[in-house]
Amino acid sequence: MKEYKYKINGNNYTVAVGDIDDNVAQVEVNGVPYKVELERSKAATVKVSTPRPSAAPRTASGEKVIASKPAAGGAGAVVAPLPGVVISVNVKVGDTVSAADTVVVLEAMKMENSIRAGRDGKVASINVNPGDSVLQDAVLITLE
């Protein structure tokens, strides 16, 4: 039992609160036992609203618009295998490269990644500069 002492209008009261079962508390005031019925509080109703998925956008003809991954630059494209920042470009337009040559160094997740040509060829174009941020599958260099 938990005991409390109160002074109300100059009168001292010793109140001991005992067990509470089904909103009925066993209370003793100055040694006299009472059964006190507690007011039932209405439980707060929590309403969780889940957002509904929106409909897919449609074209003027009514067909769904589906975003697809852009096609890689073709057979001669050297693409970024993951998103990152270009650290260096190791070739110039017109250079001849072999498949094992490192053509670009890409920093991703604090690691430097050497991007190799992947096939023998001649550098036709360079699409990035050092310091550029690139996304995965971005065309870095085109080989002919």
Side-chain angles (χ1 to χ4, degrees):
M1 279 187 138
K2 193 111 172 153
E3 192 170 290
Y4 302 94
K5 295 191 184 238
Y6 297 104
K7 188 171 192 174
I8 301 173
N9 293 333
N11 296 324
N12 290 322
Y13 296 95
T14 302
V15 179
V17 179
D19 296 332
I20 301 174
D21 293 320
D22 274 343
N23 286 352
V24 176
Q26 302 296 326
V27 178
E28 225 177 73
V29 179
N30 291 342
V32 180
Y34 294 95
K35 286 187 179 180
V36 178
E37 187 174 339
L38 303 174
E39 184 176 304
R40 291 188 186 263
S41 64
K42 293 182 180 177
T45 305
V46 178
K47 184 177 180 182
V48 177
S49 128
T50 56
R52 292 185 175 180
S54 59
R58 296 187 181 267
T59 62
S61 65
E63 293 182 28
K64 290 182 182 176
V65 176
I66 299 173
S68 59
K69 195 177 203 179
V78 177
V79 297
L82 65 165
V85 177
V86 176
I87 299 297
S88 66
V89 179
N90 300 341
V91 293
K92 292 181 246 136
V93 175
D95 287 354
T96 302
V97 294
S98 66
D101 289 347
T102 298
V103 292
V104 175
V105 177
L106 185 71
E107 180 184 339
M109 297 184 289
K110 298 185 180 180
M111 294 182 63
E112 289 186 5
N113 299 283
S114 297
I115 311 300
R116 304 198 191 292
R119 72 177 190 96
D120 296 341
K122 186 175 177 183
V123 178
S125 67
I126 299 172
N127 302 328
V128 293
N129 295 310
D132 288 353
S133 293
V134 295
L135 296 174
Q136 183 174 352
D137 295 330
V139 177
L140 305 173
I141 293 177
T142 307
L143 301 175
E144 33 176 61

